[in-house]
Amino acid sequence: MPDMEKTLIFRTVREESPGAKWQSLFDYHWTAYEQWYLSEGERERPAYLACYNALRQHMPELLDTYRALCDLAGGGDLAARLLSLYRPPPYITGCSQAVLSRSDITVLARNYDYPPELCEGTILYTNWNGRGVIAMSDCLWGVLDGINDSGLTVSLAFGGRKVVGEGFGAPIILRYILEFCDTVPEAAAVLARVPTHMAYNITVADAAGRYVTAMIAPDQRASIRRVPVATNHQKKIEWYAHALASETLIRERQLSILVDDESTTEERLVSAFFSPPLFRHDYRRGLGTVYTAVYRPRSGHAQYHWPGMWLKLSFTHFPEQQLTVRYGSRGLSAG
């Protein structure tokens, strides 16, 4: 079978307040998101009032930003429902993430494993609520991983369970954390109380060197522990086919060995994400690595890596640029 190459353009976009740049991103992605949102039929998605009330109950501080984005999206009912990210269609990712915390360094590194054609590829620098946030965008304003100007950094991974229920998509929960939290304890409190619609593993680290991984799901209370590593299962394997295909146990063991080894340096940890088993080439099944992100809470730096190319960004250095990445069964290339 011939190699099916896929191309994704990554963009860095800086916009202090919601405005024309975000509106342009919405217009560009809307058709694809509309198809995804209606993929199970419109009746399966909650009504606008249910979406609004859920945000008002669980994340009220986000409402002003939500209203501004809804206005930029044209004020339509369907767009407003999607942007709430309340009870969206289910979706499944791979992902590996780990925190290395030493007396002199703290770093959160992660690989995002997903179909490249379904990734927005937008790295947003915003100041929507008086706090700078640099984040890889998802669902137009949600967060796959990111950092704020207090040094709080977050990353998500699919939790490896089929359960779907009442709650929000994790990207909007991560946006909420970066907009309104300064520390790991504050983020942990949010993860303990805001409901999620699927199982996710959320890893959080801050400038003081604290970290936790929260295993959240719609059918059980969040398990929040001082664990520095997360892949795609929670306390036990429940979805064996996904666990086997994603090699979640192998990746977790690799990361655990690294962070438990006192001789592991930041460079050694980060370099491990560039090679198997952490770096995956399974793009045909949607489990290939789309990018590697490295966040340094103490310095406020964010780096995004592809073979032979990287973007190094911060709150004082954030040039707007773009990078084309090509994915195929033989690997990926950037240029």
Side-chain angles (χ1 to χ4, degrees):
M1 185 176 293
D3 183 30
M4 300 297 290
E5 187 176 84
K6 302 172 183 178
T7 300
L8 175 60
I9 297 176
F10 285 86
R11 297 177 175 86
T12 56
V13 177
R14 179 170 182 168
E15 189 171 51
E16 297 292 315
S17 301
K21 291 181 183 180
W22 185 89
Q23 187 177 47
S24 178
L25 291 170
F26 174 87
D27 292 341
Y28 180 80
H29 291 293
W30 171 243
T31 299
Y33 272 120
E34 182 181 28
Q35 292 175 354
W36 167 70
Y37 194 66
L38 298 178
S39 59
E40 298 178 315
E42 186 172 354
R43 289 186 178 182
E44 292 300 312
R45 306 279 66 82
Y48 168 73
L49 190 59
C51 296
Y52 182 87
N53 285 338
L55 275 173
R56 184 174 62 177
Q57 177 182 355
H58 298 289
M59 297 181 280
E61 299 92 337
L62 272 183
L63 282 176
D64 286 346
T65 303
Y66 171 70
R67 293 189 192 101
L69 297 179
C70 287
D71 288 343
L72 289 170
D77 174 78
L78 193 64
R81 291 156 66 190
L82 184 151
L83 288 171
S84 75
L85 279 183
Y86 180 62
R87 287 170 47 198
Y91 49 91
I92 298 168
T93 65
C95 309
S96 308
Q97 54 206 31
V99 175
L100 186 68
S101 184
R102 301 286 190 258
S103 61
D104 56 338
I105 62 160
T106 301
V107 60
L108 187 156
R110 71 96 107 253
N111 277 354
Y112 183 65
D113 303 338
Y114 199 57
E117 67 273 18
L118 300 181
C119 181
E120 283 181 26
T122 303
I123 304 167
L124 274 177
Y125 179 173
T126 58
N127 199 339
W128 290 342
N129 294 282
R131 172 177 279 122
V133 173
I134 296 173
M136 186 68 76
S137 177
D138 187 56
C139 296
L140 299 163
W141 69 309
V143 169
L144 296 174
D145 45 74
I147 187 170
N148 68 21
D149 60 14
S150 294
L152 185 67
T153 183
V154 295
S155 177
L156 67 80
F158 173 57
R161 302 179 61 224
K162 294 183 179 180
V163 60
V164 178
E166 302 287 326
F168 294 91
I172 194 66
I173 302 175
L174 267 60
R175 168 63 66 181
Y176 181 53
I177 287 171
L178 290 182
E179 294 289 334
F180 298 105
C181 296
D182 293 309
T183 66
V184 162
E186 291 174 4
V190 168
L191 291 165
R193 69 171 178 81
V194 176
T196 174
H197 81 128
M198 290 186 70
Y200 298 98
N201 298 330
I202 312 298
T203 300
V204 190
D206 65 21
R210 292 170 291 206
Y211 60 85
V212 296
T213 291
M215 296 181 177
I216 61 176
D219 62 337
Q220 59 191 27
R221 182 173 297 181
S223 172
I224 302 175
R225 298 181 297 160
R226 193 173 182 271
V227 173
V229 167
T231 52
N232 303 124
H233 60 281
Q234 296 192 327
K235 295 181 179 179
K236 61 181 181 179
I237 299 295
E238 294 188 27
W239 189 356
Y240 287 92
H242 182 272
L244 183 63
S246 67
E247 298 181 317
T248 180
L249 289 172
I250 295 172
R251 290 181 288 117
E252 181 190 51
R253 177 171 174 77
Q254 170 88 351
L255 287 172
S256 296
I257 290 171
L258 281 168
V259 299
D260 288 345
D261 185 346
E262 292 185 0
S263 68
T264 295
T265 62
E266 175 183 337
E267 292 74 18
R268 182 184 176 196
L269 175 70
V270 172
S271 66
F273 280 88
F274 304 151
S275 303
L278 300 180
F279 195 99
R280 296 172 53 79
H281 296 282
D282 196 358
Y283 300 106
R284 195 176 299 278
R285 289 193 292 177
L287 291 171
T289 298
V290 180
Y291 65 89
T292 301
V294 180
Y295 296 98
R296 297 175 175 86
R298 301 189 189 196
S299 66
H301 285 92
Q303 279 186 254
Y304 304 90
H305 292 262
W306 304 266
M309 183 69 67
W310 65 89
L311 296 173
K312 186 174 183 179
L313 307 169
S314 71
F315 295 99
T316 58
H317 177 75
F318 194 92
E320 291 190 305
Q321 56 192 304
Q322 67 180 43
L323 173 70
T324 300
V325 182
R326 297 174 182 85
Y327 303 85
S329 61
R330 297 182 186 134
L332 66 155
S333 60

